[in-house]
Amino acid sequence: MTTAPASDLAVVRGPLDWDEFTARYWDRRPVLIKAVRPAPFELHEVFAATALATRPPGPYRMPPTAQFTVGRFQQTEPAHWFPRPGDGAFDGYRRRLDAELAAFSKETRYALVVHAFHAFHAGQWERQRAFFDPLWERTGLPLSGAITTLFHGNYEHTPVGVHKDRFATFLFALEGHKRMRFWRERPWTEPVTTKLDYRPHLAASFTAEPEPGDLLYWPASYYHVGESVDGGTATSVNVGVPREAHRAVYDVDDLLLGRSRDAMVDPDVALVRLPAATAPLSAPEPPTDGALPEALEQTLRIFRDYRDPARMQDLVAALSLGTLTASGLCPVPPPEPVRPLDDATTVRSRARVLHQPVEGALLCAANGHVLRSPLTPQQIEPLLHRLAEPQPLTVGELLAPVPAAARPDARHLLEALESFRALTRDR
């Protein structure tokens, strides 16, 4: 199943022991952990999330989180080759795709890659967060956010070829067989960051072949590539934890633009969220007084707005609360629709709620979502303290300590927390 020097790849049996993992393998060496239970990903949910994540946002538009490759060529309009709910499961999707690709080309090898994958299924996200919480307790929370990526297909090798990430990676094998090939250091001398034709460097590599239910981990320092085994189709989900080469611009983007699933994988999608200059983009002649053309002056005014200390404090606080309550797994699934809560409804807590005062308001966060509330800390803290108790309480009991004038805002907060999946109605 594996071929590697003993000093590189370790193979152990589940269950996963986080103390042993962090002491022996974290940032040190790859390890294949057999039969990890419980795993955060279930195949039927993974397919449902994939069908949602690859749904085109409009005619002739690509979902920014998805990539599709036939052979070695990335497709620019592959919407008809993405999974559909009617396929039922990956098996049905494969059968349809095999027939359609055979009619399109002699090449039937394909790769489907979906980025920001944990944002497309709330239950899957919650189990993923619970799975990694013990690791964060030992290593610290990844403040710039862990990433989740789906890989599916019978591709010859990962579309980008051999490469090195700034992420330590956890690969959850879900179906089929996939080979991961590793190098301790860059196997080529050419001034390139990835390599498609790596056959001359096979002798220096070692491999691992995780089976469904296995978990494979490798540190960020290893060069690697994924390969098909005997042309078969495999499905896996990778979770990357940032460990190297963090750039300040990543945090600036998060502060200015937020952490939407589209913005995290497509900078162009993020940039259009900044206000646009409305002045003409051409100047008839150079200004004589040294002033900038109006379009550039408008752009500077937009960025000066972001320098406002109160606004920046608000942005920093919201980003911090969102990251902490999401356990580093940003972006998060969207909230559910808000439903009214009457006094007789019994609710119980599902997730912790953090709050922080900012100028003129209070930020409240749960499961990565942040709400700006007019309540004061003195009004909200008794409510949150009672909500955190193990026994369910009625909404009326939760609101009782809140001053009468503030109860409508407190009820609105509870309704928002339910939409954030931080509390649930007791059935």
Side-chain angles (χ1 to χ4, degrees):
M1 180 181 60
T2 59
T3 303
S7 60
D8 282 85
L9 180 71
V11 181
V12 300
R13 298 291 307 179
L16 174 58
D17 184 324
W18 285 114
D19 287 326
E20 179 184 24
F21 174 84
T22 53
R24 295 187 178 184
Y25 310 114
W26 179 245
D27 285 340
R28 292 176 176 83
R29 58 185 292 200
V31 58
L32 177 62
I33 306 171
K34 303 293 297 178
V36 171
R37 294 288 185 272
F41 301 102
E42 297 181 3
L43 192 59
H44 71 284
E45 289 182 349
V46 168
F47 178 79
T50 304
L52 177 62
T54 56
R55 187 171 58 191
Y60 311 110
R61 293 180 62 194
M62 271 283 289
T65 54
Q67 295 174 270
F68 190 86
T69 302
V70 177
R72 291 190 174 186
F73 297 97
Q74 185 158 309
Q75 305 299 300
T76 57
E77 297 182 6
H80 54 294
W81 288 330
F82 285 148
R84 305 168 186 166
D87 293 328
F90 282 111
D91 284 341
Y93 172 54
R94 274 193 300 268
R95 289 193 295 271
R96 175 173 63 84
L97 202 56
D98 286 345
E100 292 181 1
L101 288 178
F104 168 76
S105 165
K106 294 180 180 179
E107 178 60 75
T108 58
R109 287 183 178 268
Y110 69 93
L112 172 65
V113 182
V114 179
H115 305 278
F117 189 66
H118 60 241
F120 292 96
H121 194 288
Q124 202 164 251
W125 176 84
E126 289 180 354
R127 289 197 303 274
Q128 186 178 345
R129 187 181 64 171
F131 184 91
F132 282 103
D133 273 343
L135 177 63
W136 310 150
E137 291 171 2
R138 293 160 173 81
T139 65
L141 189 71
L143 294 181
S144 65
I147 64 171
T148 307
T149 310
L150 168 97
F151 291 89
H152 169 80
N154 60 352
Y155 45 91
E156 179 184 1
H157 56 67
T158 307
V160 298
V162 180
H163 62 288
K164 178 180 175 293
D165 299 316
R166 65 184 186 93
F167 301 91
T169 302
F170 295 83
L171 183 156
F172 295 85
L174 299 177
E175 66 169 356
H177 294 274
K178 181 177 183 177
R179 178 186 301 114
M180 291 302 303
R181 187 176 297 276
F182 300 100
W183 289 260
R184 300 184 192 94
E185 55 190 25
R186 193 173 72 173
W188 61 83
T189 57
E190 300 92 324
V192 294
T193 56
T194 67
K195 197 163 190 180
L196 289 173
D197 185 5
Y198 54 89
R199 286 173 295 182
H201 310 294
L202 292 178
S205 68
F206 63 94
T207 63
E209 293 183 16
E211 300 172 322
D214 293 349
L215 172 60
L216 175 64
Y217 162 83
W218 64 89
S221 58
Y222 281 77
Y223 282 78
H224 59 277
V225 66
E227 300 174 343
S228 169
V229 177
D230 299 326
T233 304
T235 305
S236 61
V237 177
N238 289 12
V239 177
V241 184
R243 304 300 293 160
E244 296 181 356
H246 183 74
R247 298 177 184 271
V249 69
Y250 303 152
D251 298 320
V252 173
D253 286 348
D254 288 343
L255 283 172
L256 298 184
L257 305 170
R259 284 180 172 170
S260 76
R261 60 199 185 195
D262 293 355
M264 290 188 72
V265 297
D266 187 344
D268 292 336
V269 171
L271 291 174
V272 298
R273 296 171 60 196
L274 289 174
T278 58
L281 298 181
S282 59
E285 58 186 21
T288 58
D289 58 359
L292 290 173
E294 178 57 22
L296 297 182
E297 285 288 358
Q298 284 188 7
T299 301
L300 285 177
R301 286 196 292 271
I302 289 170
F303 279 96
R304 288 191 188 109
D305 288 343
Y306 280 92
R307 293 178 55 197
D308 177 70
R311 177 182 182 133
M312 188 54 63
Q313 180 186 17
D314 197 311
L315 289 171
V316 169
L319 181 66
S320 299
L321 291 176
T323 300
L324 290 171
T325 57
S327 296
L329 293 172
C330 301
V332 298
E336 296 177 350
V338 173
R339 298 187 294 163
L341 286 171
D342 59 37
D343 284 352
T345 304
T346 302
V347 297
R348 65 171 71 237
S349 175
R350 288 185 59 193
R352 65 175 177 167
V353 180
L354 300 181
H355 62 86
Q356 181 175 333
V358 293
E359 188 169 331
L362 191 70
L363 295 181
C364 298
N367 286 339
H369 298 286
V370 183
L371 170 74
R372 190 179 182 93
S373 173
L375 295 170
T376 67
Q378 294 74 23
Q379 293 169 337
I380 198 175
E381 285 169 359
L383 183 153
L384 295 181
H385 179 75
R386 297 198 72 190
L387 182 61
E389 295 175 0
Q391 70 274 17
L393 295 170
T394 66
V395 171
E397 291 171 322
L398 289 169
L399 296 180
V402 179
R407 285 177 190 167
D409 291 322
R411 189 185 305 275
H412 175 67
L413 172 64
L414 292 176
E415 291 168 348
L417 291 177
E418 183 186 28
S419 76
F420 297 167
R421 305 177 188 88
L423 62 86
T424 185
R425 304 183 187 215
D426 198 52
R427 305 298 179 187

